[in-house]
Amino acid sequence: MSEIAKTPEPPYYAVIFTSLRTEGDNGYSEMAERMVKFASQQPGFLGVESAKESVGITVSYWSDLESIKTWKQNAEHLIAQKQGREAWYKEFKIRISKVERDYGFAQN
Amino acid sequence: MSEIAKTPEPPYYAVIFTSLRTEGDNGYSEMAERMVKFASQQPGFLGVESAKESVGITVSYWSDLESIKTWKQNAEHLIAQKQGREAWYKEFKIRISKVERDYGFAQN
């Protein structure tokens, strides 16, 4: 996930997931990779950006709220969510937002 | 910026700033610190979260669009924006979004 997501013209949705992890990996890395792979295959998925220092921030982009809801209820994802609460995260916050406007810059 | 922002009940706004930096610091770190300090003093500022690996992600939270616009036009910030395009960023994308819903988790 080393790129800026190539999203379409707004409006679309962004799920901003900010987290503080517990110590150790505890199977997190493998599951995180699986979840990004699965999410990317879901209808309505537009892209994802992720970085972690003291907090981890993952922003996933979606075409509509229904796609976000469907992904939230995906069976594999529900298992990951459970492990997240039990083992991986000290704290997290999820914000569902509607992107109304975007602009960018790229060096020539 | 090592915490999850303590934002109020939605609705509020999130500015999602994703960037790829050029090589070297070139005065970036000092200016970034100044900008976070200044932004925090602006009317309507609610919080900020930031992490950088291959991409940098900074999400700032605001009470309304007018506050975001005022901060964008702040004189000190305009200087930083100019240096950003000229020296610090290979590429960036800014997405203005309205947070419609949020929820969280914290270990006992």
Side-chain angles (χ1 to χ4, degrees):
Chain A
M1 292 181 285
S2 59
E3 293 203 349
I4 298 177
K6 306 284 183 287
T7 41
E9 287 293 298
Y12 53 88
Y13 285 82
V15 179
I16 306 163
F17 177 60
T18 314
S19 62
L20 292 173
R21 291 266 309 281
T22 53
E23 297 299 311
D25 189 75
N26 309 310
Y28 169 81
S29 299
E30 194 187 329
M31 183 66 98
E33 203 173 305
R34 274 166 63 84
M35 283 306 111
V36 168
K37 193 177 144 195
F38 281 165
S40 311
Q41 296 164 352
Q42 300 304 306
F45 176 87
L46 300 175
V48 63
E49 296 161 348
S50 195
K52 181 179 176 295
E53 286 184 301
S54 51
V55 296
I57 306 177
T58 297
V59 188
S60 59
Y61 300 100
W62 301 86
S63 58
D64 55 273
L65 288 173
E66 192 57 32
S67 300
I68 294 169
K69 194 175 162 190
T70 302
W71 171 236
K72 192 185 177 199
Q73 295 167 349
N74 172 284
E76 294 266 5
H77 190 197
L78 285 171
I79 294 166
Q81 289 170 46
K82 186 165 185 292
Q83 287 182 267
R85 285 167 193 267
E86 287 172 2
W88 299 323
Y89 298 115
K90 273 198 286 208
E91 190 180 340
F92 68 71
K93 185 119 187 170
I94 291 176
R95 296 175 172 99
I96 316 289
S97 73
K98 184 179 187 177
V99 179
E100 299 180 344
R101 200 162 67 82
D102 65 12
Y103 59 97
F105 163 81
Q107 276 183 356
N108 292 327
Chain B
M1 292 182 286
S2 58
E3 292 202 349
I4 296 177
K6 306 284 183 283
T7 40
E9 287 292 299
Y12 53 88
Y13 285 82
V15 178
I16 307 163
F17 177 60
T18 313
S19 62
L20 292 173
R21 290 267 307 283
T22 53
E23 296 300 311
D25 189 74
N26 308 311
Y28 170 81
S29 299
E30 194 189 329
M31 181 67 99
E33 204 174 303
R34 274 167 63 85
M35 284 306 110
V36 169
K37 194 178 143 195
F38 281 164
S40 310
Q41 296 164 352
Q42 300 304 306
F45 177 86
L46 301 175
V48 64
E49 295 161 349
S50 195
K52 182 180 175 294
E53 286 184 303
S54 50
V55 296
I57 306 177
T58 297
V59 189
S60 60
Y61 300 100
W62 302 84
S63 58
D64 55 273
L65 288 173
E66 192 58 31
S67 300
I68 294 170
K69 195 176 163 190
T70 302
W71 170 237
K72 193 185 177 199
Q73 294 167 348
N74 172 284
E76 294 265 7
H77 191 197
L78 285 172
I79 295 167
Q81 287 171 47
K82 188 167 183 290
Q83 288 183 268
R85 287 168 191 265
E86 288 172 0
W88 299 323
Y89 298 116
K90 274 197 284 206
E91 190 179 340
F92 68 70
K93 184 119 187 170
I94 291 175
R95 296 176 172 99
I96 316 290
S97 73
K98 184 178 187 177
V99 178
E100 299 181 344
R101 200 161 66 82
D102 65 12
Y103 59 96
F105 163 80
Q107 275 183 355
N108 292 327

